[in-house]
Amino acid sequence: MKKLSFLVVDDSATIRDLVRQSLKLIFGTSDIFMAEDGRVALQVLGEEEIDIIISDWNMPNMNGEELLYQVRNDPKLAATPFIMMTTNAGRDFIIMAIQLGVTQYIVKPFSVNELETKIRASINILNRRREKRYAMPAHVASLQVGQKVFSGQLIDLSRTGAAIAGVRFDPVIGLFKVCEVELKLLDPNGLESDTSLISGLFGRIVRLEAEDTFHPTSLAYHMALYFHPGTMERDVERKLNNLIKWLAGKAPDVIAES
């Protein structure tokens, strides 16, 4: 694996230097760029190839939220992991930041071990996003969260996750909740008449987004799920892999990296 390059953004020179020293200690890299605010950070991002951004949230000139917006809306930077440093540990604030597109967050003060954990988690997320995801016909996904069951339309699928639309929002649905998923899909081996149920597939909700509609009473949501390969039953993993192989050979639409 190539050495990672980092951009550290903070209006405090002391914090920038501490993070730089920690990164050198953890990853042995000298490709660490510094910026005192979002404006300078954008200049660096325009000149250098950056693998991971670590940014404070509250800064003068251009704060972390404004920088994040620019990063997520630039096609060349949109997939770059963005780790937020903040002194605000409030749950509502953290959820808001994640919904805006923060990859990971870390609350000041933090240890070197905590920083390493967040960076490695960000790398894993980036690798998952690079998985090919296959567009689906109108298949049905059934999700059980707690004691409630919801139905939606499966939009795309990979070995590590799925996107589902049309799920009606309910208070029991929340970020990071674990749900059991059943996928009603074409049987890749043709052993059953029309559909095959992949059940016992557990996913963690990692994104919730209201559907784009002008209807004032709509409660329909898009959601993204993450499947942790290490926790799958062997038979479930086999069925999912068979389905992915079938889609790779049959489905013309491959959704680009995001």
Side-chain angles (χ1 to χ4, degrees):
M1 178 176 145
K2 76 178 186 72
K3 286 190 176 182
L4 295 170
S5 61
F6 296 89
L7 172 58
V8 181
V9 190
D10 199 298
D11 56 316
S12 167
T14 301
I15 295 295
R16 293 198 304 270
D17 192 55
L18 287 172
V19 174
R20 180 184 61 81
Q21 291 181 37
S22 298
L23 294 174
K24 289 185 68 174
L25 177 65
I26 299 168
F27 296 100
T29 181
S30 57
D31 292 337
I32 305 169
F33 300 89
M34 306 290 217
E36 60 265 31
D37 58 39
R39 289 181 183 175
V40 178
L42 288 177
Q43 293 175 6
V44 175
L45 289 166
E47 298 168 358
E48 306 291 344
E49 184 175 340
I50 301 297
D51 292 312
I52 294 178
I53 300 167
I54 304 173
S55 177
D56 190 23
W57 203 242
N58 297 311
M59 297 179 291
N61 300 321
M62 179 184 285
N63 63 29
E65 182 177 345
E66 294 168 318
L67 172 61
L68 176 64
Y69 178 84
Q70 295 295 328
V71 168
R72 290 293 177 252
N73 285 277
D74 185 330
K76 294 181 180 179
L77 302 174
T80 305
F82 193 109
I83 300 175
M84 173 185 71
M85 298 185 291
T86 179
T87 55
N88 190 338
R91 180 178 179 274
D92 290 344
F93 173 79
I94 297 299
I95 290 176
M96 179 272 294
I98 292 172
Q99 289 174 333
L100 290 174
V102 163
T103 312
Q104 294 285 327
Y105 69 91
I106 188 165
V107 178
K108 299 176 181 178
F110 51 82
S111 67
V112 174
N113 287 340
E114 288 174 310
L115 180 61
E116 180 179 7
T117 297
K118 297 296 183 180
I119 292 171
R120 295 199 184 280
S122 298
I123 295 169
N124 289 338
I125 288 173
L126 180 61
N127 290 337
R128 293 202 303 271
R129 286 177 175 171
R130 286 175 173 166
E131 283 262 4
K132 286 184 178 178
R133 297 181 293 121
Y134 294 94
M136 304 297 299
H139 293 306
V140 176
S142 175
L143 302 93
Q144 181 169 340
V145 183
Q147 299 301 313
K148 291 191 175 183
V149 178
F150 305 89
S151 292
Q153 179 182 337
L154 187 64
I155 303 299
D156 65 64
L157 182 70
S158 77
R159 288 182 177 84
T160 55
I164 298 170
V167 178
R168 186 175 175 82
F169 184 73
D170 185 280
V172 303
I173 297 175
L175 280 173
F176 312 124
K177 287 284 187 72
V178 174
C179 56
E180 184 173 358
V181 185
E182 283 189 335
L183 303 180
K184 299 180 182 181
L185 303 165
L186 292 172
D187 179 9
N189 295 317
L191 300 177
E192 298 182 27
S193 56
D194 292 312
T195 61
S196 171
L197 287 181
I198 298 180
S199 59
L201 184 61
F202 289 89
R204 183 179 297 276
I205 299 171
V206 294
R207 186 175 294 276
L208 285 172
E209 183 177 352
E211 288 191 1
D212 187 10
T213 176
F214 291 105
H215 198 291
T217 61
S218 175
L219 293 177
Y221 267 66
H222 282 77
M223 68 167 59
L225 301 176
Y226 167 58
F227 307 142
H228 195 302
T231 63
M232 285 187 197
E233 294 288 339
R234 184 170 298 176
D235 185 56
V236 173
E237 186 174 16
R238 177 184 59 78
K239 288 182 178 180
L240 183 60
N241 286 338
N242 283 345
L243 177 65
I244 294 294
K245 289 177 183 177
W246 179 81
L247 288 170
K250 301 293 184 182
D253 282 335
V254 178
I255 297 174
E257 293 179 11
S258 63

